[in-house]
């Protein structure tokens, strides 16, 4: 590619950046504030310094335009709810009394007031707080956060671009507020919301914003003509404002499809498109629509969701093609870098050669800057970077780490029969009832119990050599004893061992499977102050030895009640890892499934009567476009069945899913052929139970009656009320009683009280059932 002297100099930018700080300083400060150990002023000071540090790093790396407003104490959608004044009535008093405490109350709830519902952000593992709207919602602009953070960046002498969740996406993500008819469509509030956005844009313009980024990722999903018309109306209205900054409408995670011509014709100054996840589709559509004459195009050519290095030459060629399709072309990642860890250079335990294959947020920033330079000055200006990149790509593709002939041969030999149980569900259910002898409305938990400071200290002491393996395992056994004893005394019917040995439900297994790499500092925000370290799936997968049998068997030895074996399913192992991008996901899923199948078989051989294979990511990984879903669900459900189908009929297979919209995958849930499924339902008031009933789901199910993502303790009456609601959709002989999710993030006091109330609710409702 030669120097494009006629084109404006390409600018390097990002849409958003990791919030937590290099040592998760934000998490620690917020949790300290919740516990009363950190004052509000100190929390604000820490947050301010983290923002400034991020902006300085970006500017020093060569980013020409830094984002502002993407920083959040909990969630950027919740920030938008505060910005537009859509505070739920039950939280109004707390927000008016103290804005910060009220903000956290909306996110976490209080003992007396329920939080907002939480669900997945498109097909990522990030969670957002769902806005609650109704016909009576009154919006009002509050741009204080957005203006203040813009001024902070400008005061550092930086070119800054505020970031807002767009009005169409905000309304499409919202749900009817409690008490509002379920068929209410929040998008009908658009005309009421647009003046609020107009006011915010005017405030940002007055504060010095030249450009404002307005994120509309909901437009990459399948949209009705009415929804596309709403988008057209929104940007015709905002574009016509006299007092506003230039508008950059950003999309990511997939192709824009029918929304592209709508936005291309809108009276806005720029579009940002994903050319990593949806490169060919967006490029073809852009060319077919005549491009973006007179507009700015921000090209997301660096994958913002995975951790592999970019193919710089390939991206540079794509950028060169785009030059003729817009007035100017700038370079960015495909989405906010919120979804990747901060800095690969901090990883001291990964082989240096392998480390060169990885790009976290800082490395992706460098790639963006290199591509912008190459686009402006020509390939000669980045010859050294291109040569090093080619060498690193070749090193990865030729590495024996990536291919294991034995694993590939086993995967290729799989037949359809390998993924089918030996008997139909009705026959299995009878055998399982005879073996387990459970009452109606059996109680259980999802798997994990509180991960105490003592457990985390024990793991750290083992890594540091302060205790030996024997001492560590004694500590784990003591914790299992406590967990089993509590469950027995409380009256739980199917027990778990509590998972005290597990640092994370994916990482724990990844560290014991070949083909995975573990990071030490690769933290990524899942929700609020919950951060995870997704492992890196670099090569072919196998299981050298049993991973869970020892601890499950030990727990079973302590009780006559059944103890569940607990595994993470193949789809979730992929979704919550940074998965390899050099082969189809379905091929990788089959490898993981076969490794887990071996573990399931060993658990059964050891006498485990109930085995749970969690798949919370099945819905999360669902493609955003309906046309892409059938192929995904075919390999995803096959992978689950391949994991579980080898067991005897009287071994009960459970699965678990949480914090997603399940209605559009109920048929796939059926195709898993699990004997029991437990699902999040407390915040959504048993919506999933109604969805299962509407589908005619024939197996057993446990819609959650205890919202574990809030510190509040549900009363016995509250849990019983949810259980009665569940019984209106699912008959008692097929209904289980359980929390929404695992209890790892909760403390022991609230866990004890909540589970005691859960068991009491089950007993109460059980006593109300008609005699058989």
């Amino acid at each position: 590619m030669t120097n494009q002297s006629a084109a404006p100099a390409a600018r390097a930018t990002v849409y958003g950046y990791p919030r937590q700080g290099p040592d998760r300083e934000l998490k620690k400060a917020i949790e300290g504030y919740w516990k009363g150990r950190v004052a509000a002023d100190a929390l604000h000071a820490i947050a301010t310094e983290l923002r400034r540090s991020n902006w300085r790093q970006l500017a020093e790396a060569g980013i020409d335009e830094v984002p502002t407003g993407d920083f959040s104490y909990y969630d950027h959608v919740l920030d938008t709810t505060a910005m537009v004044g859509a505070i739920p009535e039950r939280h109004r008093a707390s927000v008016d009394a103290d804005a910060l405490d009220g903000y956290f109350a909306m996110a976490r709830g209080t003992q007396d007031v329920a939080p907002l519902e939480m669900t997945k952000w498109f097909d990522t593992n990030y969670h957002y707080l769902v806005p609650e709207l109704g016909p009576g919602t009154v919006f009002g602009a509050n741009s204080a956060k957005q203006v203040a953070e813009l001024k902070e960046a400008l005061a550092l002498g930086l070119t800054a671009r505020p970031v807002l969740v767009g009005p169409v996406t905000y309304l499409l993500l919202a749900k009817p507020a409690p008490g509002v008819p379920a068929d209410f469509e929040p998008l009908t509030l658009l005309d009421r919301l647009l003046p609020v956005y107009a006011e915010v844009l005017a405030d940002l313009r007055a504060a010095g914003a030249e450009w404002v980024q307005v994120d509309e990722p909901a437009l990459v999903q399948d949209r009705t003509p009415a929804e596309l018309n709403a988008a057209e109306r929104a940007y015709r209205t905002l574009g016509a404002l006299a007092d506003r900054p230039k508008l950059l409408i950003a999309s990511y995670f997939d192709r824009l499809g029918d929304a592209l011509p709508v936005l291309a014709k809108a009276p806005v100054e720029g579009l940002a498109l994903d050319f990593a996840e949806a490169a060919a589709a967006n490029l073809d559509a852009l060319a077919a629509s005549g491009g973006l004459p007179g507009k700015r195009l921000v090209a997301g050519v660096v994958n913002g969701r995975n951790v592999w290095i970019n193919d710089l030459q390939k991206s540079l060629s794509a950028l060169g093609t785009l030059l003729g399709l817009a007035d100017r072309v700038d370079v960015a990642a495909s989405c906010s870098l919120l979804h990747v860890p901060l800095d690969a250079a901090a990883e001291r335990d990964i082989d240096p050669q392998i480390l060169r294959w990885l790009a976290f947020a800082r490395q992706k920033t460098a790639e963006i800057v290199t591509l912008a330079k190459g686009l402006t000055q020509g390939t000669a200006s980045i010859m050294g970077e291109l040569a090093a990149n080619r060498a690193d790509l070749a090193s990865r593709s030729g590495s024996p780490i990536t291919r294991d002939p034995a694993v590939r041969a086993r995967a290729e030999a799989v037949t359809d029969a390998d993924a089918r149980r030996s008997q139909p569900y009705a026959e299995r259910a009878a055998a399982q009832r005879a073996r387990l002898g459970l009452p109606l409305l059996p109680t259980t938990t999802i798997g994990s119990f509180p991960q105490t400071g003592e457990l985390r200290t024990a793991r750290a002491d083992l890594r540091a050599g302060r205790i030996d393996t024997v001492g560590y395992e004694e500590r784990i056994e003591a914790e299992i004893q406590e967990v089993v004893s509590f469950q027995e005394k409380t009256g739980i019917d199917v027990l778990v061992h509590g998972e005290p040995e597990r640092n994370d439900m994916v990482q724990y297994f990844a560290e014991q499977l070949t083909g995975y790499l573990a990071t030490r500092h690769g933290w990524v925000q899942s929700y609020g102050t919950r951060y995870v370290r997704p492992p890196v799936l670099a090569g072919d997968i196998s299981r050298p030895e049993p991973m869970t049998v020892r601890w499950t068997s030990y727990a079973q030895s302590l009780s006559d009640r059944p103890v569940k074996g607990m595994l993470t399913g193949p789809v979730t192992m992929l979704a919550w890892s940074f998965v390899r991008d050099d082969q189809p996901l379905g091929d990788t899923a089959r490898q993981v499934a076969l490794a887990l199948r071996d573990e399931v078989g060993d658990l059964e051989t050891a006498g485990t009567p109930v085995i749970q294979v969690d798949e919370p990511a099945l819905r999360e990984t669902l493609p955003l476009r309906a046309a892409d879903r059938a192929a995904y669900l075919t390999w995803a459900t096959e992978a689950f069945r391949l994991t579980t189908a080898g067991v005897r009929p009287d071994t009960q297979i459970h699965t678990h899913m949480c914090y997603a919209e399940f209605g559009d995958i109920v048929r796939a849930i059926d195709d898993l052929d699990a004997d029991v499924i437990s699902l999040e339902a407390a915040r959504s008031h048993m919506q999933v139970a109604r969805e299962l009933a509407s589908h005619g789901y024939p197996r057993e199910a446990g819609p959650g009656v205890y919202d574990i993502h809030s510190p509040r303790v549900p009363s016995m009456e509250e849990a019983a009320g949810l259980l009665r609601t569940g019984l209106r959709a699912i008959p008692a002989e097929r209904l289980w009683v359980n929390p929404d999710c695992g209890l790892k993030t909760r403390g022991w006091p609230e866990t004890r009280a909540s589970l005691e109330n859960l068991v009491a609710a089950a007993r109460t409702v059980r006593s109300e059932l008609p005699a058989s």
Side-chain angles (χ1 to χ4, degrees):
M1 181 183 152
T2 60
N3 187 5
Q4 301 289 334
S5 58
R11 286 179 287 194
T13 190
V14 296
Y15 305 155
Y17 206 64
R19 303 160 177 164
Q20 68 268 23
D23 194 31
R24 291 179 295 157
E25 291 86 350
L26 184 63
K27 167 190 171 68
K28 296 170 185 176
I30 292 172
E31 292 180 350
Y33 176 76
W34 292 342
K35 295 174 182 177
R37 296 199 295 259
V38 175
D41 287 347
L43 172 59
H44 291 316
I46 291 168
T48 298
E49 182 51 40
L50 287 173
R51 287 193 296 269
R52 291 175 179 172
S53 176
N54 281 349
W55 293 328
R56 291 190 189 101
Q57 289 170 9
L58 288 169
E60 290 168 3
I63 293 295
D64 300 299
E65 188 179 45
V66 301
T68 67
D70 61 305
F71 183 92
S72 180
Y73 283 128
Y74 205 96
D75 166 47
H76 55 273
V77 180
L78 183 60
D79 294 345
T80 307
T81 292
M83 183 188 79
V84 303
I87 310 300
E89 190 58 38
R90 67 184 182 280
H91 287 289
R92 179 71 62 181
S94 62
V95 171
D96 289 344
D98 185 291
L100 185 60
D101 287 345
Y103 174 90
F104 287 132
M106 288 191 288
R108 307 172 70 230
T110 66
Q111 185 55 43
D112 300 320
V113 182
L116 295 173
E117 183 179 342
M118 185 165 64
T119 195
K120 295 296 177 72
W121 175 250
F122 298 93
D123 57 349
T124 75
N125 189 32
Y126 178 82
H127 303 66
Y128 72 93
L129 278 302
V130 181
E132 296 177 356
L133 305 176
T137 298
V138 176
F139 296 114
N142 179 4
S143 61
K145 174 187 184 295
Q146 290 71 24
V147 167
E149 293 179 14
L150 170 64
K151 288 182 175 180
E152 286 178 13
L154 295 177
L156 296 176
L158 304 175
T159 300
R161 184 187 68 250
V163 179
L164 306 176
V165 175
V168 178
T169 289
Y170 179 76
L171 293 175
L172 289 172
L173 294 178
K175 283 189 170 183
V180 173
D183 60 356
F184 172 75
E185 295 185 3
L187 193 59
T188 60
L189 300 175
L190 180 63
D191 291 336
R192 198 182 303 177
L193 182 59
L194 290 177
V196 173
Y197 271 80
E199 187 174 340
V200 171
L201 291 172
D203 291 345
L204 290 170
R205 177 60 177 158
E210 179 187 2
W211 285 87
V212 169
Q213 175 183 318
V214 185
D215 286 357
E216 291 287 9
L219 296 181
V220 305
Q221 297 173 298
D222 297 317
R223 289 298 163 201
T224 66
E227 291 166 341
L228 293 173
N229 288 337
E232 187 278 331
R233 188 169 77 255
Y235 289 102
R236 173 165 37 86
T237 300
L238 295 178
L241 296 172
D243 184 20
R244 66 167 178 83
K246 297 175 183 177
L247 298 180
L248 175 70
I249 313 304
S251 65
Y252 37 82
F253 301 147
D254 209 323
R255 56 196 182 274
L256 264 178
D258 291 339
L260 179 56
V262 172
L263 296 179
K265 295 173 185 176
V268 299
E269 288 73 24
L271 295 185
L273 301 181
D274 184 338
F275 291 101
E277 301 276 351
N282 271 339
L283 179 58
D284 291 347
L286 192 63
S289 68
L292 301 174
K295 295 186 187 293
R296 175 189 185 188
L297 172 64
V298 179
V301 293
V302 172
N303 193 315
R305 298 177 57 180
N306 215 325
V307 295
W308 303 109
I309 57 172
N310 181 267
D311 184 332
L312 294 180
Q313 186 62 64
K314 181 178 178 181
S315 292
L316 200 59
S317 298
L319 289 166
T321 302
L322 293 171
L323 279 177
L325 296 175
D327 185 58
R328 67 168 302 129
V329 177
D330 294 328
V331 186
S334 60
C335 61
S336 170
L337 296 178
L338 172 72
H339 305 290
V340 295
L342 184 59
D343 187 7
E347 300 301 328
R348 307 298 185 190
D349 298 336
I350 296 177
D351 182 279
Q353 181 57 53
I354 297 175
L355 200 60
R356 294 189 62 83
W357 306 346
L358 303 180
F360 294 177
R362 290 189 183 175
Q363 288 72 38
K364 289 180 184 296
T365 299
E367 291 177 337
I368 292 165
V369 171
T370 295
L371 289 167
K373 180 180 178 181
L375 186 61
T376 299
Q377 300 179 23
T379 54
S381 67
I382 57 169
M383 291 299 290
E385 291 91 335
L386 291 174
N389 180 248
R390 283 194 297 269
D392 292 337
L393 291 170
S395 168
R396 180 187 171 203
S397 65
S399 172
I401 292 173
T402 64
R403 297 182 69 85
D404 183 328
V407 170
R408 290 178 177 258
R410 184 185 182 193
E412 290 169 1
V414 167
T415 66
D416 290 342
D418 292 326
R420 298 290 175 189
R421 297 285 291 272
S422 61
Q423 290 185 348
Y425 169 70
E427 296 177 20
R428 302 196 312 258
Q432 292 159 18
R433 282 193 291 270
R435 180 181 184 184
L436 297 173
L438 299 174
L440 290 175
L441 308 181
T443 55
T444 190
T445 65
I446 304 305
S448 63
F449 266 67
Q451 286 271 323
T452 63
E454 291 81 1
L455 284 173
R456 289 190 290 270
T457 298
R459 276 197 292 272
D461 287 345
L462 179 65
R463 287 195 303 269
R466 291 186 288 269
I467 60 173
D468 60 14
T469 300
V470 172
Y472 173 73
E473 292 181 349
E474 288 175 349
R475 178 69 188 87
I476 296 301
E477 288 182 351
E479 185 70 18
I480 293 173
Q481 291 173 20
E482 180 178 352
V483 167
V484 170
S485 175
F486 165 75
Q487 292 174 92
E488 285 194 315
K489 291 176 182 176
T490 303
I492 292 174
D493 298 304
V494 176
L495 312 186
V496 297
H497 78 288
E499 305 176 12
E501 79 286 5
R502 303 186 190 184
N503 45 14
D504 176 82
M505 66 181 289
V506 171
Q507 185 180 353
Y508 174 79
F509 294 98
E511 289 174 347
Q512 301 182 75
L513 295 170
T514 64
Y516 270 102
L517 305 173
T519 68
R520 187 176 291 270
H521 303 286
W523 297 103
V524 177
Q525 186 180 19
S526 179
Y527 64 87
T529 61
R530 168 75 170 141
Y531 287 82
V532 295
R533 282 183 297 167
V536 179
L537 205 166
D540 289 341
I541 302 298
S542 62
R543 186 203 68 148
E545 59 186 12
M547 302 178 287
T548 67
V549 175
R550 175 188 174 176
W551 302 119
T552 304
S553 298
Y554 177 70
Q556 186 65 79
S557 75
L558 302 174
S559 178
D560 293 331
R561 299 185 185 189
V563 174
K564 284 193 289 189
M566 303 299 305
L567 304 177
T568 301
V571 177
T572 301
M573 287 294 298
L574 267 61
W576 293 1
S577 302
F578 291 115
V579 71
R580 62 191 300 179
D581 60 355
D582 59 347
Q583 69 179 23
L585 276 175
D587 293 355
T588 307
R590 180 172 285 191
Q591 292 180 4
V592 177
L594 288 169
L596 294 173
R597 183 185 179 97
D598 294 341
E599 187 72 12
V600 168
D602 284 344
L603 282 167
E604 184 180 60
T605 299
T608 306
V610 181
I611 301 172
Q612 181 170 306
V613 180
D614 289 343
E615 281 293 18
L618 182 70
R619 170 61 180 84
E620 164 192 319
T621 315
L622 188 71
L624 298 177
R625 294 281 184 175
D628 304 327
R629 292 175 179 175
Y632 159 74
L633 290 172
T634 295
W635 65 254
T637 55
E638 182 217 51
F640 180 89
R641 294 194 309 272
L642 186 59
T643 299
T644 58
V647 299
R648 301 192 311 262
D650 65 347
T651 296
Q652 191 172 71
I653 295 295
H654 288 223
T655 191
H656 168 67
M657 300 179 190
C658 59
Y659 289 94
E661 302 293 334
F662 301 112
D664 48 6
I665 61 162
V666 173
R667 186 175 299 278
I669 290 173
D670 197 354
D671 288 344
L672 296 177
D673 198 24
D675 300 305
V676 182
I677 183 168
S678 54
L679 303 116
E680 177 274 328
R683 289 197 188 186
S684 60
H685 311 287
M686 287 284 161
Q687 175 182 329
V688 69
R690 295 185 290 272
E691 291 170 344
L692 291 174
S694 176
H695 175 75
Y697 186 74
R699 300 175 186 82
E700 298 175 40
V705 298
Y706 163 26
D707 171 20
I708 67 87
H709 288 280
S710 170
R712 65 186 297 272
V713 175
S715 67
M716 187 281 287
E717 293 80 8
E718 180 181 340
L722 286 171
L723 191 50
R724 293 185 188 104
T725 300
L727 278 169
R728 289 198 285 270
I730 300 171
E733 61 269 20
R734 293 196 282 112
L735 187 65
W736 284 65
V737 185
N738 46 259
D740 276 343
C741 200
L743 300 164
K744 175 181 178 179
T745 61
R746 299 271 54 90
W748 262 109
E750 70 220 46
T751 295
R752 288 191 182 94
S754 298
L755 291 180
E756 287 166 355
N757 289 346
L758 180 149
V759 171
R763 288 171 175 163
T764 296
V765 177
R766 195 180 293 143
S767 71
E768 299 167 358
L769 297 173
S772 58

